[in-house]
Amino acid sequence: MSTINRQIHLVSRPQGEPSTANFALVEAPVEALADGEVLVRIHYLSLDPYMRGRMNESKSYAQPQPLNEVMIGGTVGEVVESRNEHFKVGDKVVGMGGWQEYQRVNASQRGVLQKVDTTHIPLSAYLGAVGMPGVTAWYGLTQIIAPKAGETVVVSAASGAVGGAVGQLAKARGCRVVGLAGGPAKCEAVVNELGFDACIDYKAHPDLRSLSKALKDACPDGIDGYFENVGGMILDAVMLRANAFSRIAFCGMIAGYNGEPIPMANPALILVNRMKLEGFIVSEHMQLWPEALKELGTMVATGKFKYRETVAQGLESAPEAFLGLLKGKNFGKQLVKLV
Amino acid sequence: MSTINRQIHLVSRPQGEPSTANFALVEAPVEALADGEVLVRIHYLSLDPYMRGRMNESKSYAQPQPLNEVMIGGTVGEVVESRNEHFKVGDKVVGMGGWQEYQRVNASQRGVLQKVDTTHIPLSAYLGAVGMPGVTAWYGLTQIIAPKAGETVVVSAASGAVGGAVGQLAKARGCRVVGLAGGPAKCEAVVNELGFDACIDYKAHPDLRSLSKALKDACPDGIDGYFENVGGMILDAVMLRANAFSRIAFCGMIAGYNGEPIPMANPALILVNRMKLEGFIVSEHMQLWPEALKELGTMVATGKFKYRETVAQGLESAPEAFLGLLKGKNFGKQLVKLV
């Protein structure tokens, strides 16, 4: 009797805001392993904003998510069957298993499946602080913003997995760190749990003038670095407070994921303030992952790095949890727990 | 009897587009020299787009031009009197004399006045190809765009002093070079005189779609580097054709000098294409001027660098010539000839 693998497929492309109707739960048998293959029982799915971009058909830096196939995504789990000499039953692994309960994968290709050590670091952290979001934060901060001690670094979506990591890595480098997050509860936690110097509730500042004033108050010496996770009015407000020679790392533009391009109000400030703006995709800089993961892993294992997780239960909850992520309903890393 | 020095002062700040009424011709006596001072008879004034920004009161990277004082600007001329041991009568010099016929200057401060050699390079070229505009082109191209041979570099205001230099420096590095200029006559000369591979008449493409299509035709392999002199719709059109890892050097935003901020339509492309955008002010990088001037001077002296000059006659013509520059009426370096 074969094991049943439940999967979530993308079955239609959203026009504007996505809905649960774009997804379908599908059952498929787990087929027998071929030589070199490994079967992983997935424990956690990672939900990330980049997935929204993949749901569109339009050309971007990555191929679109194909219709009627398992939604892509990072996963952690445990090897339950192996025909590969490098993996044995019981190994904890991180990979790109997608939205399903079992991942059957040829593990001979380098990098497809990584064994991880859960002695000092919880398995789920390999999808967050010690995974892609953590490295994303590390890359944008250290390679683009490259802050000096005493500089002011601002990060949007500060309570998210990437934003929280940016702030803590910047604090460790002696910066003043100011977050932006939605709602007083998130802002309070960003300051009191994650250790930011200040956090602005952008929902309390519905217009550019008000938000710009709040940034001025929180950043009395101006802004030297900005880690951009959202785009839109927050970007405009930050640029109004940017110092000469400031740097912006473009990591995400969640405000524009639903199709409508959101303009930058005053690009002349790039010249006036001699700014540098740079976009990046962390998967294009694999050579730096070991250095990043070393710092992040050490911080997590020694308790110097704080993070929260928002955990949805069961595969069938993934679409709803993903829609919530796009609306900022999560706090910290959004996961789906399968086991 | 003292010599009369005619000067042009800024007497009011423009609201929007400037007019000749913002300027006034003023006569003042040339006072006797103090120790260390030099009197220069100015031969050419340089007119440059950056002066428009200085006419505004608002905070920018430089102090505003004060009212009722001589308009700032680069100048070349000849020493006619000297109480400084490093300068003698007859020396050709470049400095920041401003819009006047005589410059009385304490030449003891390093860099205030530079002697130049006119054996192989015409005096006026020190305000253009072998001066600030040439170094501006060199800096943005080599330090920000940093093109590889075979890449495509686009430059706006291609028939201007900076744009023409960008294109020729990029051609010398093995790039495909495409200009943008206003009108068929300028475009024809950009290709046939300056040696660009192609030049697009932006006036023939009044909307984004049409301009973007023209760029696609002229840049079949996309755009790797863009030297931004104008802002506005041209920037948007270039970004639609930008390759992954492309670079934009922000040198000028002439389209927005009259006060109205011009948005960037789709900043998400910075992320999608992992672009780098960087603004710069050439006077902040004085340590690189010798290297830049060496390359530019050698190219001019050996006839490998083509440039045009548009020369207005007499100090009183400066305001009108400056307004024409802002409207793109010049071809190449805009000068005012005083002697």
Side-chain angles (χ1 to χ4, degrees):
Chain A
M1 196 195 81
S2 67
T3 309
I4 292 298
N5 183 22
R6 299 198 308 155
Q7 309 177 321
I8 291 180
H9 292 194
L10 182 71
V11 294
S12 61
R13 301 198 184 279
Q15 307 298 319
E17 211 173 284
S19 78
T20 53
N22 298 128
F23 303 96
L25 186 67
V26 173
E27 296 196 349
V30 174
E31 288 171 37
L33 297 187
D35 265 355
E37 287 189 335
V38 166
L39 186 68
V40 179
R41 178 71 172 101
I42 295 175
H43 287 209
Y44 290 96
L45 315 181
S46 174
L47 298 182
D48 299 279
Y50 77 83
M51 295 168 174
R52 175 64 190 86
R54 303 290 178 90
M55 293 170 75
N56 293 334
E57 183 130 41
S58 58
K59 174 188 167 247
S60 182
Y61 46 81
Q63 289 297 313
Q65 162 71 37
L67 288 180
N68 303 311
E69 292 187 15
V70 178
M71 268 295 289
I72 52 154
T75 48
V76 288
E78 185 176 326
V79 173
V80 291
E81 205 185 322
S82 177
R83 292 188 62 183
N84 185 302
E85 59 176 343
H86 299 296
F87 293 88
K88 60 177 196 299
V89 171
D91 282 350
K92 299 294 193 298
V93 289
V94 57
M96 289 294 288
W99 298 14
Q100 58 182 341
E101 292 177 333
Y102 290 92
Q103 175 191 20
R104 187 167 61 90
V105 60
N106 186 329
S108 310
Q109 280 176 276
R110 220 187 123 107
V112 164
L113 208 61
Q114 304 271 3
K115 264 187 275 195
V116 295
D117 182 350
T118 54
T119 318
H120 301 290
I121 298 173
L123 183 58
S124 63
Y126 288 101
L127 294 177
V130 195
M132 187 272 284
V135 179
T136 298
W138 185 94
Y139 184 91
L141 184 76
T142 68
Q143 305 298 301
I144 295 177
I145 297 175
K148 295 188 196 73
E151 287 193 327
T152 297
V153 172
V154 172
V155 54
S156 51
S159 70
V162 174
V166 170
Q168 294 180 75
L169 290 167
K171 281 300 290 180
R173 284 160 175 75
C175 297
R176 176 174 177 81
V177 177
V178 175
L180 290 141
K186 282 185 179 178
C187 285
E188 188 274 334
V190 163
V191 172
N192 293 333
E193 287 181 26
L194 306 185
F196 283 50
D197 294 291
C199 188
I200 297 167
D201 176 7
Y202 68 84
K203 290 182 177 174
H205 300 282
D207 62 88
L208 182 61
R209 194 191 175 94
S210 167
L211 187 58
S212 173
K213 171 69 168 57
L215 280 164
K216 187 178 184 179
D217 293 342
C219 308
D221 299 324
I223 297 169
D224 301 296
Y226 175 51
F227 194 104
E228 170 62 290
N229 282 314
V230 295
M233 193 181 73
I234 294 181
L235 174 60
D236 292 333
V238 166
M239 286 181 69
L240 286 173
R241 297 294 166 205
N243 287 333
F245 308 109
S246 51
R247 294 82 62 194
I248 301 184
F250 281 70
C251 167
M253 301 289 274
I254 204 167
Y257 275 138
N258 287 335
E260 63 298 6
I262 298 181
M264 174 192 292
N266 196 354
L269 293 170
I270 299 170
L271 174 59
V272 170
N273 294 325
R274 293 85 88 204
M275 301 175 70
K276 184 177 84 168
L277 287 65
E278 193 167 343
F280 73 101
I281 306 294
V282 73
S283 56
E284 292 177 334
H285 304 280
M286 295 309 295
Q287 77 288 358
L288 290 170
W289 281 53
E291 184 183 349
L293 288 172
K294 189 177 171 193
E295 178 173 356
L296 293 159
T298 303
M299 285 175 81
V300 169
T302 58
K304 286 186 185 139
F305 189 101
K306 310 294 181 194
Y307 60 93
R308 276 209 201 177
E309 295 172 342
T310 299
V311 184
Q313 299 293 331
L315 183 72
E316 59 282 0
S317 70
E320 196 69 60
F322 178 64
L323 303 182
L325 170 75
L326 295 180
K327 292 183 174 161
K329 291 189 180 165
N330 60 307
F331 190 120
K333 178 65 200 171
Q334 177 69 57
L335 299 168
V336 181
K337 190 170 193 307
L338 304 188
V339 174
Chain B
M1 195 195 80
S2 67
T3 309
I4 292 298
N5 183 20
R6 298 198 309 155
Q7 308 175 321
I8 290 181
H9 291 195
L10 183 71
V11 295
S12 61
R13 301 200 183 278
Q15 307 298 319
E17 209 172 286
S19 77
T20 53
N22 299 127
F23 303 96
L25 186 67
V26 173
E27 296 197 349
V30 173
E31 288 171 37
L33 297 187
D35 263 354
E37 288 190 334
V38 166
L39 186 67
V40 179
R41 179 70 172 101
I42 296 174
H43 288 208
Y44 290 96
L45 316 180
S46 174
L47 299 182
D48 300 278
Y50 77 84
M51 296 167 173
R52 175 64 189 86
R54 303 289 178 91
M55 293 170 74
N56 293 335
E57 185 130 40
S58 57
K59 173 190 169 246
S60 184
Y61 48 80
Q63 289 297 312
Q65 161 73 38
L67 289 180
N68 302 312
E69 293 187 15
V70 178
M71 269 295 289
I72 51 152
T75 49
V76 289
E78 183 175 328
V79 173
V80 291
E81 206 183 320
S82 177
R83 291 187 63 183
N84 185 303
E85 59 177 343
H86 299 296
F87 293 88
K88 62 178 195 299
V89 170
D91 281 349
K92 299 295 193 297
V93 289
V94 57
M96 287 294 288
W99 297 15
Q100 58 183 342
E101 293 177 332
Y102 290 92
Q103 174 191 21
R104 187 169 60 91
V105 60
N106 186 327
S108 309
Q109 282 177 274
R110 219 187 122 109
V112 164
L113 209 61
Q114 304 271 4
K115 264 187 274 197
V116 295
D117 182 350
T118 54
T119 317
H120 300 291
I121 297 174
L123 183 58
S124 63
Y126 288 101
L127 295 177
V130 194
M132 186 270 285
V135 179
T136 298
W138 185 94
Y139 183 90
L141 184 76
T142 68
Q143 305 298 300
I144 296 177
I145 298 176
K148 295 188 195 72
E151 288 193 326
T152 298
V153 173
V154 172
V155 54
S156 50
S159 69
V162 174
V166 170
Q168 293 180 77
L169 290 168
K171 280 300 290 180
R173 284 160 174 77
C175 298
R176 175 171 176 84
V177 177
V178 174
L180 289 139
K186 283 185 178 176
C187 285
E188 188 272 335
V190 164
V191 172
N192 293 332
E193 285 182 27
L194 306 185
F196 283 49
D197 295 291
C199 188
I200 297 167
D201 176 8
Y202 68 83
K203 291 182 177 173
H205 301 282
D207 62 272
L208 182 61
R209 194 192 174 94
S210 166
L211 187 57
S212 172
K213 172 70 167 58
L215 279 165
K216 187 179 186 181
D217 292 343
C219 307
D221 299 324
I223 297 170
D224 301 296
Y226 175 52
F227 195 103
E228 170 62 291
N229 281 313
V230 295
M233 191 181 74
I234 294 180
L235 174 60
D236 292 332
V238 166
M239 286 180 70
L240 287 174
R241 298 293 167 204
N243 287 333
F245 309 109
S246 51
R247 294 81 64 193
I248 300 184
F250 280 70
C251 167
M253 300 288 275
I254 204 167
Y257 275 137
N258 289 334
E260 65 298 5
I262 299 182
M264 174 193 291
N266 195 354
L269 292 171
I270 299 170
L271 173 59
V272 170
N273 294 325
R274 293 84 88 206
M275 300 175 69
K276 185 177 83 169
L277 286 65
E278 193 168 343
F280 73 100
I281 306 294
V282 72
S283 56
E284 291 176 334
H285 304 280
M286 295 309 295
Q287 78 286 0
L288 289 171
W289 281 54
E291 184 183 349
L293 289 172
K294 189 176 170 193
E295 178 174 354
L296 292 158
T298 303
M299 284 175 81
V300 169
T302 57
K304 286 183 184 139
F305 189 101
K306 310 295 181 194
Y307 60 93
R308 276 209 200 176
E309 294 171 342
T310 299
V311 184
Q313 299 292 332
L315 183 73
E316 61 282 0
S317 69
E320 195 69 59
F322 177 64
L323 304 182
L325 170 74
L326 295 180
K327 294 183 172 160
K329 291 190 180 165
N330 59 307
F331 191 121
K333 178 67 202 171
Q334 178 68 57
L335 299 168
V336 181
K337 190 173 194 308
L338 305 187
V339 174

